Amino acid sequence: MLPVLQVGPLAIQLSGLLLLLGFWLASVLVGRSAGRHGLEGDVLDRLLLIGMVAGVIGARLGFVLQNASAYAEDPRAILSFNLTAFAPLEGVAAGALAALIYGQRKSLPLWPTLDALAPGAALFAVFVNLSQLASGDAFGAPVDLPWAIELWGARRHPAQLYALAGSLAILLFVLWLQKRQEFPGQLALSWLGLTSTARLLLEGFRGDSLYFAGVRQAQIVALLLLMLSLAGLHLLARRCCMGDESGSSAGKAEKTAPG
Amino acid sequence: MARWMARRPHWLWMMAGVFLLGTGWILWSADPEQAAAAGTIASPHPGFAAPEFDLETLDGDRVRLSDLRGQVVVVNLWASWCPPCRAEMPALQQLYDAHRDEGLVVLALNATDQDSSAAARAFVTDHGLTFPVLLDPAGEASRAYALRAMPSTFVVDRQGVIREIVIGGPVSLATLRSLVSPLLEQAD
């Protein structure tokens, strides 16, 4: 676990700094990928910034609304710096909604935009795993193996390292595929499918899983997302590369133009 | 690759294979017993049992954390020289006053190895704090709670499990209430 930087009254957690660094580097990578997909880097930079700001505001407001009576007596506390007072799911929803609205206003094409975001998402995932390694979150299940690590009172699977290795491999694959992409949506859905596969497999080694009906919730969601990404890849590939139902004219049809 | 993926038989076989393998792995790797195991291991992380301490208060009484099982406990690690610690004490006092009858205990755990009992006593007297202030001259509790920044606040549920950790401060009364209220509503 990494220490906390105490700067005056602020206790800055290095895990949080890693997330910020990851977001910045991811936005740089997205800006560079944009041209490859026929998009402007500046527009995507703004899309990410709007999404992040809306996400932070949404996460705080979500937390405040869930605890309205506590904040009604002390509204100034809504603006406090405390990182505990955030509702992550509401933040993600608000960020995605704001990015969607901005994307529609700018008439951004869906699949090329998602393709351009995919390398950034893959890079950000690496930093999320680094952040979890620093904070000790997303820890592994107790196990007696030579490579087990001592964490939270037990020898455990180094689940954060497994996830880090997985996200690095996915990042390299996404960067490789970006240069060989055959149809719009292929990169984004491949990233989603691979990320879901990694979660499906690696969640099985986690010691902090939430359970539903005796199985790990995250694995069910990951399997559904994996199936959806495969279905999406199939449909987009058909649209791109199959001339008719029988497939007799495979490859003769024109690719769907980005945008 | 695109043409391979576009062919329906390939896709159907792949989907069926992924579904079967995925479902098999989910069932094989499910381990519901270990989900409940964390709460029995003492460690300073959400979901784990709060590390035990048995310390003397400023008044000379002793407080053992395990004796408070059945109550919601807010453990605040602080020092008198730490500005955000000083700033959040009034909120902790207000929280204690408002919810002590519902089963809330606030323990201000002074990191005495980095402070002095005299300075702690002077601060408590000046601010009229009425909740127990514990002294940790050897720094044992600070180490058990892996104190990395001051203040650090641990919210412990009625079963003795850490539910929330707030590192840094000052934490507002509204945030403290938000963290504590759901736990107070839970039955022992």
Side-chain angles (χ1 to χ4, degrees), chain A residues 56-69:
Chain A
V56 171
I57 294 172
R60 174 54 59 88
L61 288 181
F63 187 87
V64 169
L65 287 175
Q66 286 168 18
N67 302 283
S69 59

Side-chain angles (χ1 to χ4, degrees), chain A residues 2 71 73 137 200 234 238, chain B residues 5-6 25 45 148 175 177:
Chain A
L2 293 177
Y71 282 89
E73 293 173 26
D137 289 326
L200 175 63
H234 170 69
R238 269 188 97 70
Chain B
M5 278 192 292
W25 173 245
H45 195 73
R148 291 180 291 152
T175 301
R177 274 204 172 132

Side-chain angles (χ1 to χ4, degrees), chain A residues 2 67 71 73 77 82 137 139 152 156 182 186 200-201 206-207 211 216 219 227 230 234 237-238 242 245, chain B residues 1-2 5-6 8 11 15 18 25 29-31 34-35 43 45 48 148-149 166 169 172 175 177-178:
Chain A
L2 293 177
N67 302 283
Y71 282 89
E73 293 173 26
N82 205 293
D137 289 326
F139 53 86
W152 307 131
R156 300 177 177 279
E182 294 171 89
Q186 186 182 11
L200 175 63
L201 293 175
R206 291 265 292 260
Y211 278 76
R216 301 169 197 260
Q219 286 183 314
M227 305 279 285
L230 287 175
H234 170 69
R238 269 188 97 70
M242 299 291 277
E245 276 294 304
Chain B
M1 189 159 104
M5 278 192 292
R8 186 161 288 159
W11 177 69
M15 290 290 271
V18 164
W25 173 245
S29 64
D31 185 8
Q34 67 92 15
S43 213
H45 195 73
F48 288 83
R148 291 180 291 152
V166 184
S172 68
T175 301
R177 274 204 172 132
S178 306

Side-chain angles (χ1 to χ4, degrees), chain A residues 126-142:
Chain A
V126 171
F127 279 85
V128 169
N129 294 140
L130 281 172
S131 165
Q132 289 170 335
L133 189 61
S135 66
D137 289 326
F139 53 86

